[in-house]
């Protein structure tokens, strides 16, 4: 836009802000020609935008008077010409910023919606660029480029004196691709288990525990048969039936194993020189169960591999792990975790094997995402980020390690790309691959260096192993909404709000949280914080005013404008009072407390409590503890159940009669059934039939040789009972076997295993008598290794390594699982 031309028209309203001397100093090479300084220019610009916005707001609205006015040819003509002019203007701006601008080309873009999207994309690109330039002006050098819309051509940046961008940066001038969300089908729709956004604490998803030293608590091995019941509620019911302590439900499933994990000598000494990272490697894309099973087999035979994840958070409430990268010394793998979400858990076999090192860089989030989305845990983690810290390197990012150890110039440009896109463009695959490809080499390097800087002593290296272990002990905590959650966010705004504004903020915050859970969107997608603040501050009288606070208007705001309007109205009805500001004593935050309208006691909490009750509540629930005085236990249970019933995700289930649940995995018709011997699942019915047949055959044989059939049967029944008792107590005992696997090569665990049980009674609610509910259930757990006694099947597929491990690998697995008719058959390895 030619600003000097339009300036005249607006001069009146802004003249006092302008130092408007036209005495020819515009000719100088100024930053803002015609203005004293940037501030003056900004003020002028804002004034112009404001009056333009006002004028457009005053135009007749569609569906209102617009249709009437449009019946006048003069009006129509005027609108047309103004519209064209505006589009031209916008196109020019977009072109200037290197964005695609097909605003005027009606053939290429069909609907208004598409054009609107184009504007939104361009706005994003322009704002991002502005942000980068401001950062640069601030001295922050953000070398990475933003992900830009398709057809983006890098703009000619006006290089001012402070912006010392090197002229050689032309090599970076590539075409970026914006992987815009609108092109991407929601992956959630394909998920077999629907996402649980209910406002209840996260319960670990794990129900089969490979490499267990301590078995899973029985409550964890139970899963609801009926997905209509939210997992949290089902677990609660189960817990009530079995009278198991509630802590079990929330505990880290590998706490015990990790607590007892010791770093073996071999991992504390100088690593053997490994093949260079430059070796060409294969990269496989894994999106089928067959390949995932094969990968798991492969990983189980290794002594280390590297892992990284890519994540998407904008179009999901809790976030989606969208990709997993794994690199071995020989190969790279990219796993489509959106496709294999329900199957990923099988990798626990390698991920929790204490004899296999898993190398991550900055694993904090990864550990949580693995738990949240797949029920995956890591035992024996090495975090190169922690190593970098211990080594006191200049920076601790992966880029820096790559540069430092591999002289690789990486480019984090795709870090924030939309990782849901499929098929993944080559550039993104390459990017993702780079994140793990060099990691094992870096692992060798940092290990060597940690020993060298510490004069060969393992102390420093040990500290990195310890820190890494602490990270793998992290538990995923679901964001819990409480009445006070909004305070945390409001505090950060450092704004003074009156009671009406405060109330609006609180109501809008609750609205967007509820909607985000319901629609499985991020709160930022539902209503970005800055818009929420704007609405709270302005408290628009009309729905149109709310819309005006939002640019661009979020789809859900448009859809729910009436609801939002009534919330704002509700806030406007509050008596107007100033909200007292209180300075947080220890946190240094400015904290807002409710105005005198509310009883102070009701909202009294100290700073620490506020922190805890903020957006992230602790997963540990105290609902069942008797020391809760304000509400009775029954009352609280009832409340929790009601909360749990608010499961809006039923709407995402294909049809009401289709059961999509955990147990799909146990369905003999599902693919997993026939994939690998190890992952073969057997129908319990079938198994029992077989057992029955065997027993019968045995009995028949005996019948022929012995005469007193009755005695034999009695004896065998007695024997079976004893066996069962012993097995149960063995598994249930809390003193664990030592983690021998770490030193497996030296170890020959040849404990003779107990004979297979010849009968097994699954925990079956449907046929259960009331003893079960009185806590007298038979908590039979079994080790499938004991059951799968077919020596022919146990041809060791992986050479010597697993050979020596045989017998020690235990899989904690609960009888309850098989009540749905199937049971895992875990051949010994
Ligand atoms: P990385 O470990 O660098 O591959 O990052 C993994 C995921 O973390 C990415 O896919 C992003 O979703 C997220 N992420 C990484 N860095 C950032 C950041 N600076 N801001 C927001 N999200 C990030
Ligand atoms: Mn990562
Ligand atoms: Zn990554």
């Amino acid at each position: 836009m030619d600003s000097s031309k339009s300036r005249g028209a607006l001069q009146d309203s802004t003249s006092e802000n302008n130092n408007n001397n036209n005495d020819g100093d515009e000719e100088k090479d100024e930053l803002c020609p015609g203005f004293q300084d940037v501030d003056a220019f900004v003020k002028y610009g804002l004034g112009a935008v404001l009056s333009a916005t006002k004028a457009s707001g005053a135009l007749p609205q569609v569906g209102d008077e617009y249709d009437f006015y449009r019946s006048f040819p003069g009006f129509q003509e005027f609108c047309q010409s103004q519209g064209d002019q505006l589009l031209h203007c916008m196109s020019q701006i977009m072109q200037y910023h290197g964005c695609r601008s097909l605003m005027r080309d009606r053939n290429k873009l069909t609907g208004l919606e598409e054009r609107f999207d184009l504007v939104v994309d361009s706005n994003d690109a322009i704002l991002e660029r502005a942000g980068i330039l401001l950062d640069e002006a601030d001295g922050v050098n953000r070398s990475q480029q933003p992900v830009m819309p398709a057809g983006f051509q890098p703009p000619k940046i006006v290089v001012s004196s402070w912006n010392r961008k090197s002229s050689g940066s032309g090599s970076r001038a590539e075409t970026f691709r914006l992987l815009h969300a609108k092109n991407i089908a929601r992956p959630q729709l394909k998920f077999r288990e629907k996402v649980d956004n209910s406002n209840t604490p996260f319960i670990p998803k794990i129900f089969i525990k490979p490499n267990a030293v301590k078995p899973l608590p029985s409550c964890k091995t139970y899963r609801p048969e009926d997905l209509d019941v939210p997992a949290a509620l089902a677990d609660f019911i189960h817990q009530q039936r079995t009278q198991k302590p509630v802590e079990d439900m929330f505990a880290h499933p590998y706490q015990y194993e990790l607590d007892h994990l010791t770093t073996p000598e071999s991992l504390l000494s100088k690593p053997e020189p490994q093949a260079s990272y430059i070796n060409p490697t294969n990269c496989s894309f894994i999106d089928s169960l067959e390949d995932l099973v094969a990968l798991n087999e492969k990983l189980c035979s290794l002594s280390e591999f590297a892992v990284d994840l890519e994540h998407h958070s904008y179009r999901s409430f809790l976030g989606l792990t969208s990709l997993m990268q794994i690199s071995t010394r020989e190969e790279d793998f990219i796993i489509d975790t959106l496709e294999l979400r329900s199957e990923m858990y099988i990798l626990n076999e390698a991920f929790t094997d204490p004899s296999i090192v898993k190398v991550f860089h900055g694993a904090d989030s990864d550990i949580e995402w693995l738990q949240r989305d797949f029920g995956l845990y890591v035992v024996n983690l090495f975090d190169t980020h922690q190593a970098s810290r211990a080594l006191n390197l200049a920076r601790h990012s992966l880029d820096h390690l790559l540069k430092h150890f591999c002289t690789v110039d990486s480019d984090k440009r795709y870090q924030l790309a939309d990782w849901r896109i499929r098929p993944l463009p080559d550039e993104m695959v390459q990017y993702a691959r780079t994140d793990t490809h060099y990691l094992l080499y870096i692992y060798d390097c940092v290990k060597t260096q940690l020993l060298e800087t510490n004069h060969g002593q393992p102390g420093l290296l040990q500290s990195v192993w310890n820190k890494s272990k602490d990270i793998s002990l992290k538990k995923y905590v679901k964001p819990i909404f409480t009445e006070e959650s909004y305070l945390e966010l409001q505090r950060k705004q450092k704004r003074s709000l009156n009671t009406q504004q405060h109330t609006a903020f609180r109501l809008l915050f609750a609205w967007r949280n509820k909607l985000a859970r319901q629609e499985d969107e991020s709160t930022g997608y539902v209503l970005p914080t800055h818009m929420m603040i704007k609405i709270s501050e302005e408290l628009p009288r009309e729905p149109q005013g709310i819309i005006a606070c939002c640019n661009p208007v979020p789809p859900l705001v448009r859809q729910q404008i009436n609801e939002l309007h009534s919330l704002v109205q509700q806030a406007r009805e509050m008596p107007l009072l100033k909200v007292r500001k209180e300075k947080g004593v220890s946190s240094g935050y400015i904290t807002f407390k409710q105005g005198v309208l509310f009883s102070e006691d009701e909202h009294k909490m100290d700073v620490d409590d506020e922190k805890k009750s903020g957006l992230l509540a602790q997963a540990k629930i105290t609902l069942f503890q008797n020391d809760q005085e304000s509400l009775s236990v029954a009352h609280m249970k009832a409340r929790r159940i009601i909360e749990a019933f608010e499961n809006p995700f039923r709407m995402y289930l294909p049809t009401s009669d289709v059961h999509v649940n955990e147990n799909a995995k146990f369905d003999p018709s599902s693919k997993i059934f026939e994939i690998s011997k190890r992952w073969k699942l057997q129908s319990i019915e079938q198994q029992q039939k077989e057992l029955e047949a065997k027993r019968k055959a045995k009995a028949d044989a005996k019948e022929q040789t012995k005469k007193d059939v009755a005695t034999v049967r009695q004896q065998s029944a007695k024997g079976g009972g004893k066996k069962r008792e012993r097995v149960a107590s063995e598994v249930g005992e809390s003193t664990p076997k030592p983690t021998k696997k770490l030193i497996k090569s030296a170890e020959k665990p040849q404990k003779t295993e107990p004979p297979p049980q010849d009968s097994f009674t699954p925990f079956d609610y449907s046929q259960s008598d009331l003893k079960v509910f009185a806590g007298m259930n038979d908590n039979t757990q079994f080790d499938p290794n004991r059951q799968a006694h077919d020596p022919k099947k146990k041809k060791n597929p992986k050479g010597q390594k697993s050979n020596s491990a045989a017998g020690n690998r235990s899989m904690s697995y609960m009888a309850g699982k098989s009540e749905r008719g199937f049971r895992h058959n875990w051949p010994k390895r």
Side-chain angles (χ1 to χ4, degrees):
M1 204 190 296
D2 182 358
S3 64
S4 61
K5 207 162 103 193
S6 57
R7 185 148 45 104
L10 294 158
Q11 215 155 10
D12 286 353
S13 58
T14 55
S15 57
E16 67 269 33
N17 297 331
N18 279 344
N19 187 342
N20 200 13
N21 62 40
N22 293 322
D23 300 339
D25 48 351
E26 274 176 44
E27 264 71 74
K28 272 192 244 158
D29 194 10
E30 292 172 67
L31 193 56
C32 304
F35 295 91
Q36 194 187 27
D37 53 24
V38 179
D39 261 0
F41 176 74
V42 168
K43 272 185 187 159
Y44 160 73
L46 283 178
V49 169
L50 194 70
S51 33
T53 313
K54 267 189 189 158
S56 80
L59 286 172
Q61 298 293 311
V62 176
D64 220 323
E65 312 108 304
Y66 179 77
D67 290 330
F68 168 69
Y69 279 102
R70 210 177 53 143
S71 60
F72 296 96
F75 178 82
Q76 209 175 345
E77 225 173 81
F78 177 78
C79 282
Q80 187 65 48
S81 69
Q82 291 299 308
D84 283 349
Q85 212 175 321
L86 276 172
L87 286 178
H88 175 69
C89 223
M90 286 162 80
S91 289
Q92 281 204 320
I93 294 173
M94 286 156 81
Q95 269 163 21
Y96 174 79
H97 284 279
C99 304
R100 220 171 57 168
S101 63
L102 298 167
M103 299 301 292
R104 276 150 63 81
D105 191 342
R106 275 144 216 251
N107 299 328
K108 293 206 178 151
L109 280 171
T110 45
L112 192 64
E113 214 171 282
E114 253 174 301
R115 274 192 262 173
F116 186 77
D117 282 343
L118 204 58
V119 176
V120 172
D121 291 352
S122 305
N123 270 339
D124 287 346
I126 293 167
L127 288 173
E128 178 77 25
R129 186 145 289 279
I132 288 173
L133 292 174
L134 286 172
D135 277 353
E136 272 185 37
D138 267 354
V140 182
N141 183 18
R142 278 172 50 174
S143 57
Q144 74 264 41
Q145 297 276 353
V147 178
M148 289 295 186
F152 172 83
Q153 288 118 35
K156 298 261 179 299
I157 298 167
V158 183
V159 181
S160 53
S161 56
W162 40 263
N163 183 356
R164 266 172 249 108
K165 206 172 166 104
S166 72
S167 51
S169 64
S171 57
R172 270 185 171 269
E174 296 169 39
T175 300
F176 298 99
R177 303 182 62 181
L178 178 75
L179 307 154
H180 196 277
K182 73 172 180 178
N183 302 323
I184 299 167
R186 285 173 73 75
Q188 290 98 314
L189 298 173
K190 283 196 305 192
F191 291 173
R192 274 203 266 145
E193 293 148 56
K194 299 303 152 188
V195 181
D196 176 16
N197 291 340
S198 61
N199 197 28
T200 50
F202 176 74
I203 296 171
K205 280 187 165 186
I206 190 168
F207 60 98
I208 302 170
K209 184 179 172 185
N211 302 299
V213 178
K214 189 180 175 181
L216 274 185
S218 60
C219 63
K220 289 283 356 116
T221 48
Y222 167 81
R223 277 280 151 209
E225 319 62 357
D226 187 353
L227 260 213
D228 289 353
V229 181
L233 178 61
D235 279 333
F236 164 69
I237 294 170
H238 184 81
Q239 179 262 323
Q240 289 298 296
R241 288 171 178 177
T242 55
Q243 304 291 306
K244 282 276 160 186
V246 85
E247 274 79 4
D248 281 358
M249 269 164 47
F250 301 101
H252 190 299
Y254 283 89
Q255 177 89 41
Y256 188 89
E257 286 75 6
L258 284 163
D259 284 346
H260 292 79
L261 180 72
T262 48
T263 317
E265 207 56 46
S266 61
L267 295 180
L268 289 170
S269 51
K270 218 168 180 162
E272 285 164 34
Q274 294 281 351
S276 157
Y277 61 85
I278 300 164
N279 283 352
T281 54
N282 254 335
C283 182
S284 323
F285 191 77
I286 298 201
D287 59 359
S288 74
L289 183 55
E290 284 92 337
D291 291 347
L292 186 69
V293 168
L295 171 61
N296 180 56
E297 300 279 327
K298 203 172 262 178
L299 296 178
C300 285
S301 70
L302 299 172
S303 50
E304 70 266 300
F305 58 87
V307 187
D308 186 42
L309 302 174
E310 300 307 326
H311 186 256
H312 175 85
S313 55
Y314 186 54
R315 301 300 307 273
S316 144
F317 182 67
L318 297 170
L320 305 170
T321 306
S322 308
L323 212 64
M324 179 187 281
Q325 304 99 284
I326 291 184
S327 291
T328 70
R329 299 263 180 204
E330 269 92 40
E331 279 175 277
D332 297 324
F333 300 91
I334 310 268
I335 308 172
D336 184 348
T337 54
L338 294 174
E339 192 63 40
L340 293 170
R341 185 178 162 99
S342 302
E343 275 84 38
M344 290 298 289
Y345 74 98
I346 70 172
L347 291 182
N348 256 338
E349 206 180 3
F351 275 49
T352 62
D353 187 331
S355 67
I356 305 171
V357 176
K358 273 68 66 175
V359 182
F360 283 66
H361 180 84
D364 302 66
S365 305
D366 304 52
I367 291 294
E368 296 186 19
W369 297 336
L370 288 172
Q371 294 176 29
R372 183 196 63 196
D373 292 348
F374 318 124
L376 278 174
Y377 294 83
V378 180
V379 177
N380 208 4
L381 167 71
F382 187 91
D383 190 331
T384 51
H385 175 83
Q386 294 304 328
S388 169
R389 287 180 165 281
L391 284 171
N392 236 328
L393 298 182
R395 281 166 54 225
H396 309 308
S397 63
L398 181 61
D399 319 29
H400 187 251
L401 293 186
L402 284 171
K403 205 168 190 133
H404 188 82
F405 292 111
C406 313
T407 53
V408 167
D409 261 323
S410 67
D411 179 355
K412 277 294 198 182
R413 164 175 10 148
Y414 286 106
Q415 191 172 48
L416 301 180
D418 192 331
W419 287 99
R420 299 172 304 160
I421 193 165
R422 297 293 182 274
L424 265 181
D426 272 354
E427 309 97 288
M428 286 175 74
V429 171
Q430 287 315 315
Y431 168 90
R433 201 180 158 184
T434 315
D435 270 356
T436 52
H437 181 76
Y438 303 93
L439 219 46
L440 289 179
Y441 179 79
I442 292 175
Y443 163 64
D444 296 337
C445 294
V446 293
K447 252 177 25 174
T448 308
Q449 210 159 319
L450 282 164
L451 288 168
E452 276 170 7
T453 43
N454 210 37
H455 314 292
Q457 295 303 305
L460 199 58
L461 179 53
Q462 180 68 64
S463 79
V464 174
W465 284 111
N466 293 346
K467 288 230 168 75
S468 302
K469 183 158 82 177
D470 289 345
I471 292 169
S472 55
L473 274 165
K474 278 185 77 167
K475 288 200 302 181
Y476 172 66
V477 177
K478 199 166 157 186
I480 296 296
F481 177 85
T482 71
E483 290 290 306
E484 286 87 25
S485 297
Y486 74 103
L487 289 167
E488 182 91 12
L489 180 62
Q490 200 182 53
R491 203 186 287 136
K492 284 189 195 140
Q493 307 309 318
K494 300 198 171 96
R495 280 168 212 245
S496 177
L497 301 180
N498 64 36
T499 38
Q500 292 186 349
Q501 294 169 324
H502 186 95
T503 307
F505 189 91
R506 177 167 59 84
L507 294 173
L508 291 173
F509 184 92
W511 171 83
R512 83 167 180 176
N513 190 281
K514 188 178 147 210
L515 210 63
R517 286 175 193 273
Q518 223 173 71
E519 302 293 321
D520 200 12
E521 300 284 3
S522 64
T523 51
Y525 174 81
V526 176
L527 176 60
T529 301
H530 67 275
M531 295 182 191
M532 186 165 78
I533 290 165
K534 190 144 203 293
I535 300 171
S536 308
E537 283 179 345
E538 296 199 357
L539 297 171
R541 254 175 227 283
E542 307 294 332
Q544 202 51 45
I546 296 175
I547 297 282
C549 289
C550 307
N551 186 20
V553 187
L556 291 166
V557 167
R558 204 181 282 282
Q559 204 186 83
Q560 301 241 342
I561 189 66
N562 291 336
E563 170 75 10
L564 282 171
H565 182 231
S566 84
L567 293 177
V568 174
Q569 292 266 235
Q570 203 179 318
R572 291 178 69 93
E573 280 158 21
M574 300 295 290
L576 204 54
L577 289 168
K578 265 239 157 92
V579 173
R580 212 174 66 225
K581 255 191 200 177
E582 280 183 21
K583 184 109 177 144
V585 188
S586 59
S587 71
Y589 283 121
I590 308 277
T591 60
F592 285 85
K593 294 259 167 159
Q594 298 273 22
V596 286
L597 274 176
F598 303 97
S599 108
E600 290 271 288
D601 286 341
E602 207 180 302
H603 292 273
K604 202 178 264 173
M605 43 184 176
D606 63 37
V607 178
D608 282 342
D609 276 353
E610 277 185 44
K611 262 192 202 153
K612 277 185 214 139
S613 63
L615 285 171
L616 294 180
Q618 298 290 312
K620 193 173 155 155
I621 56 167
T622 49
L623 283 175
F624 312 110
Q625 285 172 7
N626 296 329
D627 56 0
Q628 292 265 327
E629 263 153 7
S630 47
L631 286 172
S632 73
V633 175
H635 197 143
M636 285 186 291
K637 280 179 190 166
R639 193 166 74 175
R640 168 124 187 268
I641 290 171
I642 288 164
E643 277 170 5
F645 268 120
E646 281 179 9
N647 179 7
F649 303 100
R650 269 203 54 80
M651 65 191 269
Y652 297 119
L653 295 174
T655 53
S656 56
D657 57 346
V658 176
H659 270 289
V660 205
N661 72 11
E662 280 286 322
N663 306 316
K665 290 171 209 152
F666 300 91
D667 180 353
S669 66
S670 83
K671 258 179 157 185
I672 195 166
F673 196 70
E674 63 220 42
I675 296 296
S676 96
K677 276 182 187 146
R678 196 131 51 83
W679 285 94
K680 192 172 165 187
L681 303 161
Q682 217 178 334
S683 146
I684 182 127
E685 253 173 84
Q686 208 179 317
Q687 227 171 28
Q688 267 170 350
K689 262 186 212 157
E690 277 169 21
L691 265 171
E692 205 59 53
K694 248 192 226 167
R695 216 183 291 160
K696 216 177 156 208
K698 239 189 205 171
D700 286 350
K702 280 176 185 171
E703 234 169 340
Q704 283 181 356
T705 48
K706 292 196 179 183
K707 285 177 186 171
D708 195 351
V709 178
T711 327
V712 171
R713 279 201 177 145
Q714 228 171 0
Q715 276 170 353
S716 85
K718 262 188 205 164
K722 263 182 202 156
K723 253 180 241 160
R724 200 158 51 241
E725 243 169 68
R726 203 185 63 213
V727 170
S729 71
E730 258 178 27
V731 178
E733 73 191 354
S734 52
T735 42
K737 301 164 214 154
T739 22
K740 286 178 197 154
K741 284 216 55 201
L742 278 176
I743 30 169
K744 51 169 117 173
S745 51
E747 191 86 32
K748 287 266 178 302
Q750 294 308 339
K751 249 210 283 179
T752 46
E753 300 197 12
Q757 289 170 255
D758 50 9
S759 77
F760 165 72
T761 323
F763 188 80
D764 188 346
Y765 279 132
S766 61
Q767 274 144 51
S768 126
D769 60 7
L770 286 169
K771 274 186 217 159
V772 164
F773 301 96
M776 291 170 68
N777 59 314
D778 171 15
N779 271 323
T780 312
Q781 295 216 3
F782 67 93
D783 184 337
N785 288 335
R786 293 197 187 92
Q787 300 229 329
H789 256 262
D790 184 356
K792 268 172 271 162
K793 278 186 187 168
K794 260 144 272 149
K795 280 273 158 58
N796 192 335
K798 295 180 299 142
Q800 332 113 311
K801 187 173 166 271
S802 43
N803 232 343
S804 55
N808 254 341
R809 185 177 298 273
S810 94
M811 196 73 68
S812 163
Y813 177 74
M814 167 60 185
K817 193 72 230 170
S818 14
E819 82 211 46
R820 253 84 64 208
F822 309 104
R823 148 190 324 193
H824 255 285
N825 190 10
W826 286 90
K828 206 171 56 182
R829 303 171 48 227

